[in-house]
Amino acid sequence: MTDATTGPDHLTGPTPDNALRDADRAEARGGGSGGPGDPVLAADGTPLKQSLNRALRAQKLRALALIAPLLLFILVTFIAPIVDMLFRSVENEIVVETLPRTVAALQDWDYASGEAPDEPAYRAMAFDLMIAAERREHTRVGSRLNYETTGISSLFRKSGRGVDDVGEVYTDQFVELNEAWEEPATWVTLMASEDWQESHSEWVAAGEAAEAADEDFDDLPPRFEVADRIAEILPETAGIYQAFADTIRTEDEESPAEEEPWNVVYQALYDDLSGQLGSAAETYAGPGADLLREAATAVPDFETMTVTDQMIEVDEDWAEPEVWGTIKAFDGPYTSGYFLSSVDLQKTPDGVERQPEGERIYILLFERTLFLSLTIMACCVALGYPVAYLLSNLPMRTSNLLMILVLLPFWTSLLVRTSAWKVLLQQQGVINDVLVWLGIISDGGRLVMINNQFGTIVAMTHILLPFMILPLYSVMKTIPPSYVRAAKSLGATNWTAFWRVYFPQSVPGIGAGCILVFILSIGYYITPELVGGTTGTFISNRIAYHISNSLNWGLAAALGTILLAVVLILYWLYDKIVGIDNVSLG
Amino acid sequence: MSIELPPYASTGQKVWHYAYLVICGLIFFFLIAPILIIIPLSFNAENFFTFTPGMLSFDADAYSLRHYRDFFTNPDWQQALWNSVRIAPVATLISVSLGTLAAVGLSQSHVPFRGAIMAILISPMIVPLIISAAGMYFFYSRIGLQGTYVGVTLAHAALGIPFVIITVTATLVGFDKSLTRASANLGAGPLRTFFKIQMPLILPGVISGGLFAFITSFDEVVVVIFVGSANQQTLPWQMFIGLREQISPTILAVATILVVISIVLLSVVEILRRRSEKLRGMSPG
């Protein structure tokens, strides 16, 4: 693509642009049939400029209509994934979505106080954890927080099992007081709104009818609604009972009329009745009023145990302020945590800190990626320059033949070239065999050339060398030989003529080749993975590891975003130096 | 400047000149030898990745076609081959049809936001594969395309598009616009003009763009590893696994077959390039 030849201003002949310009000129001259200032008219009587503008618009629309399908395709299949990755590198909704009550309860708590939060935070955590455990989401948030503070994953997994027992002490006492508390029906009568009870009985009837007709019935029960009158006097209980009903509806496809509530519901009931609103239960007159009044009177004599103690009984780590601090540090819907991890920092409750000594690997990996890419780039220049020079100075016929030697590797599958190097470089491989046969090394002293940096550098230099030779060649082709001849005839030695006259003219080619090779090499994955071992791997191998092994997608996305930013900056440079349009495909 | 040595060259210059030629020869050797060496090794009768003494003494028994036989009978490799054959042509077809259309649109004289559109369209070539793969893995799992044939094919089509755009727009640069105007003047509609006048002239560019797209998909391994599942295991993926786990020299047989395919494709592209230049009058022969 060169705008120089197809741009609107460079076409001659009847294009709308030229015609518009002509029309402008004609008007300025006072053309047309009337006096000066009258517009020039087209054949159909409309002003010429107007009809030309219309033609121009139609042409633009036609061009866009041709491009639109592909643009849309790329936006959906390619750009959207990249944007998704950028989004994932900061996204952190899982914490606030899974633990909403805890996040709210921790708002006023300060980690710097050095103490674990108060009872409300523990209660909120017990409720959140109970719901999350039933929805099997607690392990996910546990592993998310485990990236930041190790140990949280197992804490959540253990607590997910143990949280069942939180509130049991009150369940027992309520049931002892009146066995009706054990019945799901009691709860439904007490909590449900009339609308819900109505649609629920319709649902039950539909289910029975289907069963009678021997048909499948898998409609979900209607979504539970708490009666307003009870939500006013028992707010906590109403909230958690609603969550309980919703959870068993979506997870087990059950109706709350058939399930005994969780222990934490009893905990909430106790909290409500023993709190300030407890006296309101005395005046309550709705369904289940007698039961509730009885409970409200008995509650002050209940044996008590704080949720804090119950949670610590589940796992003593809940007494650690650090756990709570981590949750508070990652309570926002967005976080810089992944980016901080990518540069060996970490977000702790105390603020941003460096990772502990043994876990600083990313800066090292970035440095190694940079170092290896620069080395590969340098090797490519060293090997590519003489060859490109030779190719551009040989007669056409010979150079075309030799060009095949460059193009064949360029066209050969990457996997083929990598397997070739694997075959050549391994300890029982061809190169070692030849060296042993020549007697340069002993059989016991075979060289280790693979699964280290040497392997990566050799294989990648081979793979990327054509990307250096081709741009160099196309630049060298344009250097007029007469300059060097002129320099020599003015008394320059061969070396001076080359270094002062030829070389500076080939620098754009070196620049183009270097940036191209560098861009390609810093994002390489396959070859380092296969021949790099542990010391010759790149940042991209770490990204792949986080995606498929450690499942820390956020960190993979953050590392990818950094890599992408580097590549885009380099590419912008490449565009400045060579121009995107000059990308040649050999 | 010529590479020839002038008759008056001093001894030092002669030494330097021949040394230079030797160096270039060694670099060419470095470029081509690794690819050639796998060809004889693929006929190894043993399960080794190196030359056996028998092979070095050209003993006929040391050579065999067993690795090729393994490739053509082993269900894993056959499934991989079949997957490659199923994915690459469809991906190529998508890239070529959409890409050619867009390239024709881009080559018109009035395209608003041309720079931005061009940048978006060739971005799959610029972004490192591992990043494309990661993004596609995340996004395609969101929309349920991860691990499906459709997902892999769409991903490969996206990767091939920049090549089609670049080769076709390059062919269109030399396209004489007065031909389409003449055709329209003689009464042909835009469709007829496109298929009868424009298409035959840009066909070499379209085909070589298509070949690039095909090779991209056929050789691609990073994206397919992430976007695909075991059911979409392609030939390069199978090779990747084989190389990581060191299974058998069957890989070398596959590699040899792939080298032969590359040689064929390279020749086709070269012939097309010459033909296109001749058609456009850019080179005399």
Side-chain angles (χ1 to χ4, degrees), chain A residues 140-435:
Chain A
R140 279 177 47 217
V141 75
S143 3
R144 165 68 190 95
L145 292 169
N146 201 54
Y147 299 142
E148 314 301 338
T149 305
T150 35
I152 293 197
S153 181
S154 58
L155 168 66
F156 269 66
R157 210 170 314 125
K158 191 170 166 201
S159 307
R161 290 191 301 265
V163 76
D164 275 352
D165 300 335
V166 172
E168 197 177 6
V169 52
Y170 298 109
T171 313
D172 295 345
Q173 295 184 70
F174 276 113
V175 173
E176 206 172 292
L177 186 68
N178 191 332
E179 282 186 2
W181 284 113
E182 212 172 10
E183 297 302 321
T186 315
W187 282 93
V188 170
T189 331
L190 183 67
M191 307 301 290
S193 73
E194 273 146 29
D195 287 351
W196 182 81
Q197 288 187 335
E198 216 165 280
S199 41
H200 183 254
S201 36
E202 278 168 27
W203 175 77
V204 171
E208 280 166 2
E211 201 176 329
D214 212 14
E215 284 169 15
D216 284 341
F217 181 76
D218 43 17
D219 289 1
L220 282 181
R223 189 169 182 264
F224 190 76
E225 273 174 38
V226 171
D228 290 339
R229 48 169 205 275
I230 202 81
E232 274 167 27
I233 56 166
L234 304 176
E236 287 262 351
T237 319
I240 189 77
Y241 192 79
Q242 174 76 57
F244 156 74
D246 286 349
T247 307
I248 60 164
R249 174 175 178 265
T250 50
E251 295 301 311
D252 312 328
E253 305 187 0
E254 294 265 11
S255 146
E258 296 151 21
E259 284 279 312
E260 195 182 329
W262 304 326
N263 288 325
V264 289
V265 176
Y266 294 91
Q267 170 77 43
L269 181 65
Y270 171 78
D271 291 338
D272 274 331
L273 290 177
S274 62
Q276 294 162 355
L277 284 166
S279 51
E282 312 274 348
T283 57
Y284 171 74
D290 295 340
L291 196 61
L292 201 59
R293 217 163 321 161
E294 180 196 4
T297 335
V299 152
D301 302 328
F302 271 18
E303 177 196 336
T304 62
M305 188 175 183
T306 60
V307 184
T308 313
D309 292 339
Q310 298 185 53
M311 287 293 278
I312 291 172
E313 198 169 279
V314 170
D315 193 318
E316 56 200 17
D317 279 355
W318 287 115
E320 298 289 329
E322 207 192 342
V323 170
W324 297 95
T326 309
I327 295 172
K328 190 171 163 69
F330 288 89
D331 64 355
Y334 299 102
T335 178
S336 56
Y338 293 124
F339 278 102
L340 293 174
S341 307
S342 315
V343 288
D344 287 346
L345 297 173
Q346 61 177 342
K347 200 171 165 182
T348 63
D350 296 321
V352 176
E353 280 175 10
R354 294 193 66 183
Q355 293 273 12
E357 197 75 53
E359 290 166 31
R360 293 177 200 158
I361 51 168
Y362 294 105
I363 296 281
L364 178 76
L365 259 180
F366 276 116
E367 279 171 1
R368 187 199 289 161
T369 305
L370 208 67
F371 165 75
L372 285 177
S373 299
L374 286 174
T375 313
I376 291 161
M377 188 182 93
C379 291
C380 282
V381 176
L383 297 183
Y385 198 90
V387 168
Y389 180 82
L390 183 79
L391 285 174
S392 61
N393 285 300
L394 280 175
M396 200 62 172
R397 189 173 292 274
T398 335
S399 79
N400 271 348
L401 266 179
L402 285 177
M403 200 55 151
I404 292 176
L405 299 184
V406 178
L407 288 179
L408 185 62
F410 180 72
W411 271 90
T412 311
S413 166
L414 172 70
L415 260 302
V416 171
R417 285 180 279 169
T418 310
S419 29
W421 281 109
K422 194 137 188 169
V423 168
L424 287 172
L425 293 177
Q426 57 186 313
Q427 283 202 297
Q428 299 302 321
V430 175
I431 293 183
N432 265 317
D433 280 356
V434 170
L435 290 179

Side-chain angles (χ1 to χ4, degrees), chain A residues 488 494, chain B residues 1-10 13-14 17-18:
Chain A
K488 279 189 188 163
N494 277 347
Chain B
M1 173 160 188
S2 166
I3 210 77
E4 301 279 308
L5 205 58
Y8 49 81
S10 65
Q13 278 171 334
K14 274 184 192 158
H17 177 78
Y18 289 112

Side-chain angles (χ1 to χ4, degrees), chain A residues 17 84 386 389 433 462 481, chain B residues 1 13 20 31 50 110 140 142:
Chain A
D17 284 286
D84 187 26
Y389 180 82
D433 280 356
H462 177 250
Chain B
M1 173 160 188
Q13 278 171 334
Y20 171 70
L31 271 169
T50 185
H110 289 277
Y140 287 13
R142 256 186 229 273

Side-chain angles (χ1 to χ4, degrees), chain B residues 4-272:
Chain B
E4 301 279 308
L5 205 58
Y8 49 81
S10 65
T11 324
Q13 278 171 334
K14 274 184 192 158
V15 169
W16 168 240
H17 177 78
Y18 289 112
Y20 171 70
L21 287 185
V22 168
I23 290 171
C24 282
L26 286 176
I27 298 171
F28 279 119
F29 181 76
F30 170 73
L31 271 169
I32 208 76
I35 295 171
L36 295 184
I37 205 132
I38 55 175
I39 296 176
L41 279 178
S42 71
F43 294 100
N44 197 336
E46 302 292 329
N47 250 341
F48 293 138
F49 275 101
T50 185
F51 290 102
T52 54
M55 292 179 90
L56 292 175
S57 56
F58 297 105
D59 184 352
D61 291 341
Y63 293 86
S64 88
L65 290 172
R66 58 178 281 202
H67 302 306
Y68 290 86
R69 219 172 294 127
D70 183 42
F71 172 64
F72 284 108
T73 50
N74 185 323
D76 282 352
W77 284 106
Q78 283 307 295
Q79 184 59 38
L81 176 65
W82 168 236
N83 280 332
S84 282
V85 169
R86 224 158 49 106
I87 291 168
V90 179
T92 308
L93 202 69
I94 298 174
S95 344
V96 169
S97 48
L98 292 178
T100 309
L101 213 60
V104 171
L106 276 169
S107 68
Q108 312 236 328
S109 44
H110 289 277
V111 184
F113 316 112
R114 180 203 234 107
I117 292 176
M118 199 65 180
I120 291 176
L121 293 187
I122 61 175
S123 60
M125 198 172 81
I126 304 160
V127 176
L129 277 174
I130 184 73
I131 293 176
S132 313
M136 284 170 168
Y137 177 70
F138 297 147
F139 185 69
Y140 287 13
S141 15
R142 256 186 229 273
I143 58 175
L145 283 179
Q146 202 274 328
T148 65
Y149 169 71
V150 177
V152 176
T153 313
L154 290 183
H156 276 183
L159 294 181
I161 276 166
F163 298 99
V164 178
I165 294 278
I166 288 172
T167 49
V168 178
T169 41
T171 338
L172 280 166
V173 166
F175 186 76
D176 185 353
K177 286 253 168 60
S178 54
L179 288 174
T180 51
R181 278 201 290 272
S183 153
N185 205 7
L186 291 167
L191 266 185
R192 189 148 176 221
T193 308
F194 177 75
F195 282 110
K196 287 272 177 190
I197 308 293
Q198 214 164 4
M199 196 60 192
L201 284 169
I202 62 170
L203 196 61
V206 174
I207 295 179
S208 57
L211 283 177
F212 272 108
F214 182 82
I215 279 284
T216 309
S217 167
F218 201 72
D219 277 355
E220 208 292 318
V221 52
V222 187
V223 168
V224 78
I225 285 180
F226 286 99
V227 176
S229 66
N231 289 332
Q232 284 85 42
Q233 202 150 321
T234 57
L235 220 43
W237 187 353
Q238 184 74 28
M239 286 180 79
F240 178 70
I241 295 174
L243 281 174
R244 213 161 42 174
E245 282 145 31
Q246 286 278 15
I247 44 162
S248 78
T250 308
I251 290 173
L252 298 182
V254 183
T256 308
I257 295 172
L258 289 181
V259 170
V260 172
I261 295 178
S262 333
I263 292 175
V264 171
L265 289 180
L266 174 61
S267 326
V268 172
V269 170
E270 189 57 24
I271 291 166
L272 282 172

